[in-house]
Amino acid sequence: MGVPYSPPQAPHHPRHHRRLTAGSLSGLRPPEARPLVLLHALGRDSTDWDTVTHGFARNWRVHALDLRGHGRSDWPGSYTLELMRDDVLGSLDVLGLATVDVIGHSMGGMVAYLLAQEHPQRVDRLVLEDVPLPQPRKRTFLTRPEGELTFDWDMVTAVRAQIDTPEPAWLERLEEVTAETLVMGGGPQSHVAQEGVAELASRIPRGRLAVVPVGHLIHEAAPQAFMDLALPFLRADPSHPTLHT
């Protein structure tokens, strides 16, 4: 599938990130292909997108990032969703990407809409996969898994606390997202409150909702259904399937 590598570090942005290309398909991409940034969920990493990267790389320059505290990125000990947002912005600057399409899953989707709120000119089209609405929710007790982890457990506790008690401005500023946005919900099998996913779509001015009832991991459990929705949306194809709004 893709060939991962870590580009040289820039002096003011010491974070590593991973870019995935499509190997033999890379030559089929037109030179004007738009960049597409993929942001993974909590406790995952850029390889989580391997089931769909190949399909995107036919038409986009795909950049799947390891967010801080995950995978091959730095584990600096300081973790907030705002810092992750700023890391993504720094990566866009290092790569020379003025405007991008973004797909974010779960926590990665929260980072994505924070980026689209703060820097709307940098995000053209946005896909949010089973992303929770930023409203307070009941906290759950966390138990560290045994063995070596591919992510920093301190990151998990810090970020989960933010997700459970988000900043009120995150909800208020959803109306500032100017990107065309597709929100995918995983249906009743997902642990994410689906009424919140629907409200997320309604609060974003150019938001629309599609439900793929396979649970939280839509791109993993139903990659074809995921691509059938995401590809025409990102292509801005008016013939894409009718979505629930």
Side-chain angles (χ1 to χ4, degrees), residues 42-243:
L42 182 68
R44 300 281 180 134
D45 60 35
S46 57
T47 63
D48 187 55
W49 297 105
D50 284 355
T51 53
V52 295
T53 302
H54 189 74
F56 287 126
R58 289 184 173 93
N59 296 285
W60 282 267
R61 290 176 285 144
V62 179
H63 303 270
L65 307 183
D66 286 345
L67 296 168
R68 69 163 56 200
H70 295 83
R72 301 194 307 172
S73 71
D74 287 347
W75 296 16
S78 55
Y79 300 108
T80 67
L81 293 175
E82 294 95 336
L83 286 172
M84 291 182 179
R85 172 201 64 199
D86 294 345
D87 290 344
V88 173
L89 181 64
S91 293
L92 300 187
D93 292 342
V94 167
L95 293 167
L97 304 177
T99 305
V100 297
D101 297 330
V102 183
I103 299 178
H105 177 218
S106 197
M107 178 202 73
M110 299 184 75
V111 175
Y113 69 59
L114 290 178
L115 177 68
Q117 287 176 356
E118 194 70 19
H119 303 279
Q121 75 282 5
R122 305 296 294 269
V123 181
D124 185 16
R125 288 188 164 252
L126 180 62
V127 178
L128 302 176
E129 179 191 354
D130 214 44
V131 177
L133 185 72
Q135 283 189 326
R137 66 184 189 183
K138 183 179 179 180
R139 291 194 176 193
T140 55
F141 180 75
L142 299 174
T143 302
R144 185 192 187 282
E146 296 182 2
E148 185 176 356
L149 302 178
T150 60
F151 53 87
D152 188 346
W153 183 250
D154 289 341
M155 176 276 305
V156 173
T157 58
V159 169
R160 277 293 296 271
Q162 271 200 304
I163 295 173
D164 290 342
T165 311
E167 294 291 335
W170 296 355
L171 183 67
E172 297 164 3
R173 296 188 63 192
L174 287 173
E175 64 183 22
E176 298 178 27
V177 176
T178 60
E180 293 283 349
T181 303
L182 170 61
V183 177
M184 293 191 199
Q189 296 181 53
S190 173
H191 69 274
V192 175
Q194 295 299 290
E195 61 272 19
V197 174
E199 184 176 342
L200 180 67
S202 68
R203 282 179 173 266
I204 295 174
R206 297 181 180 179
R208 63 191 76 176
L209 175 67
V211 177
V212 184
V214 296
H216 187 54
L217 306 175
I218 300 171
H219 71 274
E220 182 178 303
Q224 190 59 56
F226 180 86
M227 296 298 282
D228 286 346
L229 288 167
L231 283 174
F233 171 76
L234 291 172
R235 289 181 183 132
D237 184 349
S239 67
H240 66 69
T242 301
L243 307 179

